[in-house]
Amino acid sequence: MEHERPDVERPESRDLLLPVCGVPPAYSPLLSPTRFFPLSGEPSPRQTIKRGKKNRLIRTWYEQRTATTAIGVIVILGVFFLVNWLMLSRLHEGRVWLRKGFAKNTYQIPKWVSSTQNVEVRRFGKSKRKHNGTYDRMLDLAAQALLENKREPKELWQEPKAQALAWKPCADQRSWSPDDGENGYIMVTANGGINQQRVAVCNIVVVARLLNASLVIPKFMLSDVWTDASQFGDIYQEEHFIKYLSPDIRIVKELPKELRSLDLEAIGSVHFISFKVTDVDVMKEAKPDFYMKHILPILHKNKVIHFVGFSNRLAFDPMPFDLQRLRCRCNFHALNFVPRIQETGALIVKRLRNSSGSYLAPLDVHLLGPKSASSLILHNKSDPPARKKASSSISSKYLALHLRFEIDMVAHSLCYFGGGEREQKELDSYRQKHFPSLSTLTKTKKFPSPDALRTEGLCPLTPEEAVLMLVALGFNRETRVFVAGAHIYGGNKRLAALTSLYPNLVTKEKLLSPSELQPFKNFSSQLAALDFIGCAAANAFAMTDSGSQLSSLVSGYRIYYGGGKMPTIRPNKRRLSDILLKNNTIAWNVFEKRVRKAIRQTKHVFARPTGRSVYRYPRCKECMCNDQ
């Protein structure tokens, strides 16, 4: 049935009844003459019907055209997103391949390409210029830019986002009663350096609460890489650790007498075989259910279990709210450095601020303790008045740079850094000694070439690349730069680019006298603790490797206690590498613009992504409270 149209009139009900009464409709005086006998100039009924049909045809055509246009737009958008997805998939395939343990790759990756071979690497269907490890042209341009002495951008020394101010520390809040630890005792011997060990300590605290077990003060494994025999009590305050976490778990300094005679090397196993629980027995990022199902029965049976290694053996998600908060409480509140590390760290911070700051940063008290922190606002009485006056005129701001360029990092990366055949032999020898599994793999597996690794942002930034980034961001020549790190690969010669462009560059070895540094010599973990303090207290902190544990822990500590006022520079190495590969042709103003844009894109304030570390991203409801 057709819909009623406004331009076609319908007869009224009275008209329809007239023929029944016997009156011919053509001569009836009751009918309007305009209905059957139209007046001059008015359309006839036939014309009206034709016009209606024409209007319907026009409307139908218009509707069909509109639908066709909409479908076309949808198809075009679909093709656009599909092409973008395919391109991103191919660009990221190399990185995914590396992370999945060198799984089978559809691309034919050449074996190790030595620095003397003049070949092009074709990995993603596009040739890349071979990197020779030098930046002489760009360093000259950077020196000229510093001589111009331009005003520093404001965002260098402050957080760019007001949202950062809304997050406040609240991991100290508790909503449960303490456990009695009646299921047995947990021991742990953590491996790695001080930062990996710190993560292992907080993870084992959560496992102890999960299993209702008593925790024995953690021990640290002696590593042939770190060569440091320091134990927990040499770095952290044991009494504070025990007391602060007493409302959460039971912590003891040693096993009870009846268990001390047991062979701890032969206790525990996920498979109930007589040996300790190592990282081989516990999957990486194991979930709480794994510990309840596999570890708790061993604990019930033996009353003690000994974890050895325990590197990243507890997942971040899924994790119950209170257990995740306990993780943060351990890292940000329970682990305080021993007084002698705090006091020496305070000396470093005070000298970096030139004794002129006379202020306390938001995290100074938490980092250094009340006593050592108070020394930051007291002038040295032995300083002559002239020195005090001179120091007061110098800015107290300083930039901390964690230059993760030690030989272990350099060797493990499989990248090339411009040292030729000598560098290759030296790093190969180091891998054979300290990373034998990796050394074997390089001879039996097809690895990406050094150039391909660099293109994907998988190489640590060199000192030259780091200083180019700092100059491009706008740090002026007078900036005080504190370089954290152990022994930089290449020594002072490799640091020459940094020191020539930033003469106010210092390390802890330069800031401390030989007598002040003596107690920490041969203790790499304790020296790393001093670096942690120098970086955490800085007005601005720049990392060169986002995968570094020290950089991750420092940036998280600055977020947690910094009050939204302590900026961190986190370069995207993949984007930075793409810019640096054009070092032979790129203009300085273009380089500067692109670097600033790349860094600006990393300065976002966001809540912790699912599965990511709460130690690095504490902005989450378990660790921090949001006022907004």
Side-chain angles (χ1 to χ4, degrees):
M1 180 177 180
E2 292 186 0
H3 294 288
E4 183 175 308
R5 298 184 58 84
D7 57 338
V8 180
E9 294 184 9
R10 297 182 54 165
E12 307 222 4
S13 58
R14 183 182 58 173
D15 301 332
L16 296 174
L17 294 175
L18 289 176
V20 179
C21 300
V23 181
Y27 303 99
S28 173
L30 298 177
L31 294 177
S32 171
T34 61
R35 193 172 295 275
F36 289 100
F37 301 96
L39 298 176
S40 176
E42 292 187 2
S44 66
R46 181 175 296 177
Q47 290 175 330
T48 302
I49 292 172
K50 286 183 178 181
R51 181 183 297 174
K53 289 182 179 180
K54 183 178 181 181
N55 289 341
R56 283 197 300 274
L57 289 173
I58 293 173
R59 180 173 296 180
T60 301
W61 176 84
Y62 179 78
E63 290 174 350
Q64 289 177 349
R65 183 179 179 183
T66 302
T68 303
T69 303
I71 292 172
V73 171
I74 292 173
V75 170
I76 292 172
L77 289 174
V79 172
F80 174 77
F81 286 116
L82 178 62
V83 171
N84 273 273
W85 177 81
L86 290 173
M87 291 176 66
L88 290 173
S89 298
R90 291 195 66 185
L91 287 173
H92 288 287
E93 187 170 2
R95 181 174 295 178
V96 172
W97 178 72
L98 285 171
R99 290 177 179 171
K100 290 187 177 180
F102 308 107
K104 185 177 181 180
N105 195 348
T106 57
Y107 296 96
Q108 293 299 317
I109 308 300
K111 292 183 178 180
W112 178 271
V113 180
S114 72
S115 60
T116 59
Q117 290 177 309
N118 187 20
V119 297
E120 287 187 342
V121 179
R122 300 180 182 273
R123 172 162 175 73
F124 302 113
K126 182 179 179 181
S127 63
K128 292 290 184 180
R129 188 189 302 270
K130 187 173 178 61
H131 175 65
N132 62 9
T134 60
Y135 295 96
D136 294 340
R137 173 181 173 273
M138 293 301 297
L139 290 172
D140 288 340
L141 294 176
Q144 295 174 22
L146 287 175
L147 289 176
E148 295 177 8
N149 198 24
K150 295 180 181 178
R151 179 176 296 182
E152 291 181 336
K154 292 182 179 179
E155 62 267 18
L156 288 180
W157 301 102
Q158 62 187 22
E159 284 280 13
K161 303 291 183 180
Q163 300 96 307
L165 299 172
W167 291 91
K168 309 294 181 184
C170 61
D172 56 332
Q173 301 175 10
R174 295 177 172 90
S175 59
W176 59 19
S177 57
D179 273 356
D180 53 16
E182 63 180 6
N183 285 336
Y185 293 86
I186 288 180
M187 301 183 67
V188 64
T189 302
N191 62 3
I194 180 177
N195 302 294
Q196 291 90 334
Q197 291 165 347
R198 185 183 183 108
V199 171
V201 167
C202 292
N203 286 346
I204 203 66
V205 164
V206 173
V207 171
R209 173 73 193 202
L210 176 68
L211 303 181
N212 189 16
S214 299
L215 176 65
V216 181
I217 286 288
K219 294 185 180 297
F220 294 156
M221 185 185 299
L222 177 63
S223 167
D224 61 344
V225 175
W226 301 101
T227 61
D228 185 354
S230 298
Q231 289 302 314
F232 185 90
D234 298 319
I235 300 172
Y236 302 110
Q237 300 176 27
E238 283 190 3
E239 295 300 331
H240 174 77
F241 180 72
I242 295 171
K243 182 178 180 181
Y244 194 86
L245 294 178
S246 59
D248 304 302
I249 62 172
R250 180 171 176 255
I251 303 177
V252 297
K253 292 188 176 182
E254 56 184 4
L255 289 172
K257 292 182 179 179
E258 63 271 18
L259 295 176
R260 291 178 199 171
S261 60
L262 295 174
D263 182 4
L264 298 178
E265 297 294 315
I267 292 179
S269 166
V270 175
H271 308 293
F272 295 97
I273 305 174
S274 301
F275 59 79
K276 57 202 172 190
V277 177
T278 68
D279 285 354
V280 176
D281 304 300
V282 182
M283 70 180 71
K284 192 174 182 179
E285 304 283 342
K287 295 178 173 58
D289 290 347
F290 174 88
Y291 289 91
M292 297 299 292
K293 181 178 179 180
H294 297 288
I295 303 299
L296 186 58
I298 304 173
L299 193 62
H300 283 150
K301 178 182 179 182
N302 298 327
K303 290 300 179 184
V304 60
I305 192 166
H306 184 199
F307 290 96
V308 178
F310 207 65
S311 174
N312 297 322
R313 285 318 188 255
L314 184 63
F316 287 101
D317 291 294
M319 183 65 61
F321 179 92
D322 287 323
L323 290 179
Q324 196 79 287
R325 174 161 286 188
L326 175 58
R327 220 174 195 166
C328 298
R329 186 154 56 243
C330 173
N331 182 55
F332 298 114
H333 294 273
L335 292 177
N336 288 350
F337 294 122
V338 294
R340 67 189 185 92
I341 291 179
Q342 290 181 333
E343 291 165 6
T344 307
L347 282 177
I348 291 175
V349 174
K350 186 175 182 179
R351 289 167 186 173
L352 283 166
R353 294 176 183 171
N354 274 326
S355 303
S356 64
S358 297
Y359 72 93
L360 287 178
L363 52 66
D364 286 347
V365 174
H366 306 284
L367 183 64
L368 302 171
K371 182 179 178 181
S372 297
S374 64
S375 68
L376 297 177
I377 59 175
L378 298 176
H379 286 289
N380 190 343
K381 295 181 179 180
S382 63
D383 287 348
R387 181 175 177 181
K388 292 180 181 179
K389 183 177 180 180
S391 66
S392 63
S393 64
I394 302 175
S395 173
S396 62
K397 294 185 297 186
Y398 76 93
L399 164 72
L401 172 68
H402 181 215
L403 197 56
R404 187 68 171 94
F405 201 69
E406 295 89 348
I407 188 170
D408 63 310
M409 182 71 172
V410 172
H412 197 274
S413 70
L414 301 179
C415 297
Y416 174 65
F417 301 98
E421 186 177 354
R422 179 181 177 182
E423 174 190 297
Q424 183 179 333
K425 289 181 178 180
E426 184 178 7
L427 297 182
D428 281 343
S429 176
Y430 188 91
R431 278 190 290 268
Q432 290 174 11
K433 181 179 179 180
H434 298 283
F435 307 122
S437 299
L438 178 61
S439 181
T440 302
L441 280 174
T442 59
K443 300 172 183 177
T444 59
K445 299 289 184 181
K446 292 182 179 180
F447 275 65
S449 70
D451 289 330
L453 291 171
R454 185 170 298 279
T455 301
E456 283 296 290
L458 298 175
C459 297
L461 292 185
T462 66
E464 295 87 352
E465 292 168 341
V467 75
L468 287 173
M469 177 185 72
L470 297 181
V471 177
L473 288 175
F475 288 100
N476 66 47
R477 182 175 170 79
E478 302 303 318
T479 303
R480 292 181 64 81
V481 181
F482 172 70
V483 175
H487 301 288
I488 302 301
Y489 179 66
N492 292 331
K493 183 179 179 181
R494 195 87 212 206
L495 285 174
L498 265 171
T499 54
S500 63
L501 294 179
Y502 288 103
N504 291 326
L505 181 146
V506 293
T507 62
K508 57 184 176 296
E509 288 79 11
K510 290 184 178 180
L511 290 168
L512 300 174
S513 67
S515 60
E516 292 167 339
L517 198 60
Q518 181 60 39
F520 304 98
K521 282 199 170 181
N522 302 320
F523 297 103
S524 59
S525 291
Q526 296 180 43
L527 290 171
L530 297 178
D531 278 336
F532 185 99
I533 291 174
C535 291
N539 300 89
F541 171 59
M543 62 176 73
T544 58
D545 180 33
S546 59
S548 163
Q549 283 280 20
L550 186 143
S551 292
S552 295
L553 292 173
V554 165
S555 63
Y557 202 92
R558 290 166 63 84
I559 290 173
Y560 190 80
Y561 282 121
K565 300 178 181 179
M566 305 191 78
T568 296
I569 299 168
R570 307 174 181 85
N572 182 315
K573 290 193 298 180
R574 194 173 185 279
R575 292 180 182 173
L576 200 58
S577 174
D578 183 59
I579 301 171
L580 289 167
L581 283 173
K582 299 177 177 62
N583 71 88
N584 290 327
T585 57
I586 192 170
W588 178 258
N589 62 334
V590 177
F591 177 78
E592 185 180 83
K593 183 178 179 180
R594 291 190 62 185
V595 169
R596 292 187 183 187
K597 180 180 179 180
I599 298 299
R600 194 183 307 117
Q601 290 173 341
T602 67
K603 288 191 172 185
H604 297 294
V605 177
F606 53 86
R608 179 184 71 92
T610 302
R612 303 302 294 273
S613 168
V614 295
Y615 310 123
R616 180 175 182 175
Y617 301 103
R619 289 192 183 109
C620 58
K621 59 183 180 181
E622 296 90 347
C623 297
M624 303 182 74
C625 300
N626 193 331
D627 294 340
Q628 293 183 347

